[in-house]
Amino acid sequence: MARFVDNFWEVEFNSTVGFDIIMKRLHDGREACKEYEKFLKERAKAEELYAQTLIRLTKKLTFKEEIDGTLRRSIDEVIAQTETIGNSHNNMHQRLLEEAKKVEEFRETQREVRKREEELVKKMQSQKKDSYSRVINSKKNYESKCKEADQAEESAFRARQSPNAKEIEKLTNKKDKTRSYAEIADDQYKAAVDALEVTRKDWEKQMATFCVKTQALEQDRIKYLRNSMWVYTNVASIQCCTDDKLYERMRDSLEKCSDKEDIDSFINSKRTGSAKPAPINYECYYRDRQRNSNGSRMPRPAPPSGQPPVPIQRGLLARNGSIDGTRRTKSLRR
């Protein structure tokens, strides 16, 4: 496997490109952890809502109109197992929240380690940058002093041809002084370079440690999220298996549901009898009157109160036959 420590260096002395790339990867990984944590919370919320909906549904529907029997027992089993499924999904909601909390704790632990290593490297980067600046300034001063010394020596050399001894002495003193300053600048420049090398080595060591630890952090993050998603998958899979077992109980109950048994039970508990009502026969009004009078003449019915009696019409009797109603009855039957 490739290593951070072998692949994130830069030739430019004060470059931080490699460090910046690693830090961006760590920050992006932290955001990925946050998003996964949010996913778990939202998934838990969905499970909670589903569980509450199922439980409310089982409380709302009672099927109280259904009589006792195999169907009623199947209905009760379906309702009971549906409530159990709701409670089971509520447990899944709690399990997912616990997993989200673990992801948050893992993310914060990584943040602390990352922040500590980041600060150490930035501190060394700052020291290296300051040392580098001192070296550049010391070098400029050293080069400047060397030029001044060289110019003073050249002037003193030319003055040797001059008859003015005082001028020669002056230039000679200046040559010695500028050379002394150049030597001091040289020592300062060397000291600055040596100090920079010490700082550079310390920075390099710290940067190497940073690369090793941040690679370990990234590997841990990848493994942790993979394992956490595996846990999530198992939780969801187990929930499906639990649901299927509960649905199987429903199926077992439904297999025992018998329309014949429920019909027989209903009849046995609510039966009113097997005898049917007798048919209603036609009863002739005049025939009954004839039997009661034994062939005697039927008396006329009394007229309504307040009205004179209606006289018997002879023609009517002649047309209908006798007053006993025999032929009238036949006419009525037709």
Side-chain angles (χ1 to χ4, degrees):
M1 181 176 63
R3 302 190 307 167
F4 284 11
V5 72
D6 298 327
N7 293 279
F8 291 100
W9 303 97
E10 284 290 319
V11 175
E12 200 279 315
F13 194 83
N14 285 324
S15 175
T16 61
V17 174
F19 171 79
D20 295 338
I21 290 174
I22 293 176
M23 286 304 303
K24 185 177 186 306
R25 175 84 287 269
L26 295 180
H27 282 292
D28 291 346
R30 174 177 169 81
E31 290 302 313
C33 286
K34 285 184 178 180
E35 288 190 21
Y36 177 62
E37 180 186 336
K38 182 179 179 181
F39 165 78
L40 289 176
K41 290 179 178 179
E42 291 296 322
R43 183 70 169 84
K45 185 178 179 180
E47 288 296 322
E48 181 184 27
L49 181 60
Y50 178 61
Q52 291 175 351
T53 302
L54 287 182
I55 294 173
R56 280 198 304 268
L57 181 61
T58 60
K59 302 300 182 183
K60 185 186 301 182
L61 303 178
T62 60
F63 294 91
K64 61 182 179 180
E65 292 82 4
E66 183 62 40
I67 62 174
D68 187 30
T70 60
L71 179 60
R72 178 56 194 247
R73 288 192 289 273
S74 294
I75 291 174
D76 291 342
E77 184 68 18
V78 167
I79 292 176
Q81 296 307 327
T82 299
E83 183 178 6
T84 303
I85 290 173
N87 291 328
S88 179
H89 279 270
N90 195 46
N91 292 336
M92 180 179 175
H93 149 254
Q94 294 294 336
R95 181 68 182 84
L96 292 177
L97 287 181
E98 292 173 2
E99 189 63 27
K101 183 64 177 177
K102 290 180 181 179
V103 173
E104 180 184 5
E105 292 173 353
F106 171 80
R107 175 169 54 81
E108 289 303 312
T109 299
Q110 282 219 323
R111 185 186 70 83
E112 293 175 1
V113 176
R114 173 189 56 77
K115 188 175 181 180
R116 181 173 62 251
E117 295 302 319
E118 178 186 9
E119 290 175 351
L120 289 174
V121 172
K122 283 186 174 181
K123 180 180 179 180
M124 292 307 304
Q125 286 176 341
S126 178
Q127 292 179 2
K128 180 164 70 78
K129 187 175 181 180
D130 291 342
S131 295
Y132 180 79
S133 296
R134 284 194 292 271
V135 167
I136 296 301
N137 292 332
S138 297
K139 182 180 180 181
K140 288 180 179 180
N141 182 58
Y142 162 71
E143 291 176 347
S144 175
K145 297 301 181 183
C146 287
K147 288 179 180 179
E148 290 178 1
D150 290 345
Q151 291 174 356
E153 285 183 356
E154 185 178 350
S155 297
F157 180 78
R158 288 197 301 267
R160 291 170 60 185
Q161 306 299 326
S162 174
N164 191 341
K166 190 174 182 179
E167 182 67 20
I168 294 174
E169 182 181 1
K170 179 181 177 182
L171 292 174
T172 301
N173 291 336
K174 182 178 180 181
K175 179 197 70 171
D176 294 340
K177 183 180 289 187
T178 55
R179 179 55 58 189
S180 174
Y181 289 157
E183 290 175 354
I184 293 174
D186 181 52
D187 292 340
Q188 291 176 342
Y189 176 43
K190 289 179 180 178
V193 170
D194 291 341
L196 176 59
E197 179 59 16
V198 172
T199 303
R200 187 196 65 80
K201 288 181 178 180
D202 291 342
W203 165 82
E204 183 178 302
K205 182 179 179 181
Q206 189 61 54
M207 182 63 184
T209 301
F210 171 80
C211 289
V212 171
K213 289 188 176 182
T214 52
Q215 181 169 350
L217 286 176
E218 183 63 5
Q219 286 181 269
D220 290 344
R221 185 189 69 86
I222 294 171
K223 291 177 181 178
Y224 183 86
L225 287 183
R226 171 191 174 277
N227 292 339
S228 179
M229 285 185 281
W230 198 292
V231 169
Y232 162 75
T233 304
N234 286 341
V235 169
S237 178
I238 291 172
Q239 183 61 52
C240 291
C241 293
T242 301
D243 287 354
D244 188 62
K245 289 180 181 178
L246 296 174
Y247 284 122
E248 185 62 29
R249 293 180 186 178
M250 297 184 197
R251 287 189 286 267
D252 291 340
S253 177
L254 292 171
E255 286 177 351
K256 298 175 184 177
C257 181
S258 169
D259 57 322
K260 180 180 179 301
E261 184 176 338
D262 281 8
I263 293 296
D264 290 343
S265 176
F266 171 70
I267 291 175
N268 291 333
S269 62
K270 302 295 182 180
R271 66 188 305 169
T272 58
S274 58
K276 304 178 184 65
I280 304 299
N281 296 322
Y282 170 75
E283 297 179 3
C284 178
Y285 174 79
Y286 293 103
R287 183 182 300 163
D288 293 341
R289 300 274 293 201
Q290 183 182 10
R291 285 197 300 268
N292 291 337
S293 61
N294 295 321
S296 62
R297 187 174 181 178
M298 286 179 57
R300 274 193 303 160
S305 178
Q307 295 184 9
V310 180
I312 296 176
Q313 299 179 10
R314 300 293 182 178
L316 180 60
L317 291 173
R319 287 193 298 272
N320 293 336
S322 65
I323 198 170
D324 62 5
T326 303
R327 294 182 63 188
R328 181 181 176 91
T329 301
K330 291 181 179 179
S331 176
L332 290 172
R333 289 179 179 176
R334 288 197 298 270

